[in-house]
Amino acid sequence: MATTTSTDSGGVFSFDHRDMMVFILVMSLHGLQSMITELLPEFSVGGLGVSIGPFWFVAMSVVLLFRSFWACLAIPVGGIVFGEILIGDFSALGAVEGLVVITTSWFFAMSLVTDPSDVKQIAAVGFLAKAMEETAAWFIDVGKFYVGVEELEAISWLPETVWATEGMGALIQIVVAGIVFGAVPTLFLYPRLRGKIEPLLGMRSAGGRDGPMFTRSSLKRLVAWVGLLPVAFAVETLSETSGGLITFTPEFVETYGQTFLFVPIAAAALIAFGLVAYRQRKVEGGV
């Protein structure tokens, strides 16, 4: 039985069959929990709408098990495939912001892990990734207001309040998604998954490292996060004015009702459990 991590034989961006399995597993699990939370109602805090999901502890726990670039990329791709394309509401340019912001936020945060057995460190890193994502989205949304592609009618008489309004929304999401449905349940889920999920894919657990949490590699990734934010803003702004370049908008949920959400849920579950079953047959066959 092969028991190697995905980065044992290559660099950070190397891609082999192990990376493919990790990518598919993270993508399908994130898509599965995202669509399940779509069935849950939203609530408001101080007049600001707050969604309960996604349950970020799933992404935090699974991505930090493998800690590869492709696991990070699989999070937004899972949202796009199961939360946009399969429900018939997809815009190519509109998807770029999530691809850039979520992937780079997680890619930086996971570089800070030195001791994967320290659950508090894992939960804190996962929370940081979510906080970076929401902060980036805050700046991008405010930027869209200033360039005139997004309007906030409630405060049109006082544009300066856009920072506070958007910032409060980001802060609430950081608390709800980053802590309540993120870091706190990760404290319980991650240690129960570590050492059990990786062998299902024929891999061993990712190890720790010596030295400080913030390294030269971390600095490069942080610079990449900062440097790519303007790119995400530019593409998001363009998507608001260009119609999204390539769109797929049959809007199945609006046409067939909330019941249609069970289609992407079933597809994500089939892919995730099918992958594990396929790999187990390979292991039992000595491949």
Side-chain angles (χ1 to χ4, degrees):
M1 174 179 175
T3 54
T4 58
T5 62
S6 60
T7 56
D8 282 347
S9 58
V12 174
F13 299 105
S14 64
F15 189 79
D16 58 20
H17 71 284
R18 293 183 297 272
D19 296 296
M20 175 67 78
M21 290 190 295
V22 169
F23 182 87
I24 294 174
L25 181 65
V26 175
M27 177 189 71
S28 55
L29 288 179
H30 180 67
L32 176 62
Q33 62 85 19
S34 295
M35 299 317 299
I36 289 176
T37 56
E38 283 292 321
L39 297 172
L40 303 178
E42 291 189 358
F43 61 95
S44 64
V45 176
L48 297 173
V50 179
S51 59
I52 293 176
F55 292 144
W56 275 100
F57 63 89
V58 176
M60 290 182 182
S61 299
V62 179
V63 170
L64 291 172
L65 285 177
F66 299 101
R67 280 184 279 143
S68 72
F69 170 79
W70 303 105
C72 300
L73 180 63
I75 299 175
V77 172
I80 293 169
V81 171
F82 298 101
E84 296 183 15
I85 295 176
L86 287 186
I87 66 171
D89 186 14
F90 172 71
S91 164
L93 288 180
V96 172
E97 178 193 356
L99 283 173
V100 172
V101 171
I102 296 175
T103 303
T104 55
S105 296
W106 279 95
F107 194 49
F108 164 72
M110 73 177 190
S111 72
L112 303 178
V113 176
T114 59
D115 181 6
S117 65
D118 184 347
V119 180
K120 292 181 180 178
Q121 184 185 97
I122 291 294
V125 166
F127 167 75
L128 174 63
K130 183 59 180 171
M132 292 176 67
E133 175 194 332
E134 293 294 339
T135 301
W138 174 29
F139 285 123
I140 290 173
D141 286 343
V142 171
K144 289 194 301 183
F145 169 78
Y146 278 103
V147 299
V149 299
E150 186 171 282
E151 295 183 357
L152 297 178
E153 296 180 357
I155 59 169
S156 59
W157 54 274
L158 189 58
E160 291 78 10
T161 61
V162 67
W163 283 99
T165 303
E166 292 291 336
M168 183 59 68
L171 179 61
I172 292 174
Q173 285 298 332
I174 289 172
V175 172
V176 174
I179 297 178
V180 179
F181 294 105
V184 172
T186 297
L187 290 171
F188 298 93
L189 180 62
Y190 176 82
R192 287 164 176 75
L193 295 181
R194 187 166 188 258
K196 299 181 179 64
I197 297 297
E198 305 95 315
L200 293 177
L201 301 183
M203 301 167 66
R204 60 177 169 80
S205 301
R209 61 175 172 80
D210 297 325
M213 291 183 67
F214 193 85
T215 63
R216 179 174 295 182
S217 175
S218 302
L219 176 61
K220 292 179 180 177
R221 298 183 188 193
L222 183 59
V223 170
W225 180 79
V226 174
L228 287 172
L229 286 186
V231 176
F233 169 72
V235 177
E236 177 65 15
T237 301
L238 183 61
S239 74
E240 299 282 348
T241 58
S242 67
L245 186 61
I246 299 174
T247 61
F248 175 67
T249 57
E251 298 183 338
F252 297 129
V253 176
E254 287 74 7
T255 303
Y256 301 106
Q258 288 289 98
T259 305
F260 191 84
L261 291 175
F262 287 100
V263 173
I265 288 174
L270 181 64
I271 293 173
F273 292 106
L275 172 67
V276 173
Y278 167 78
R279 182 56 195 172
Q280 285 302 292
R281 283 199 298 271
K282 288 287 188 180
V283 170
E284 291 171 0
V287 179

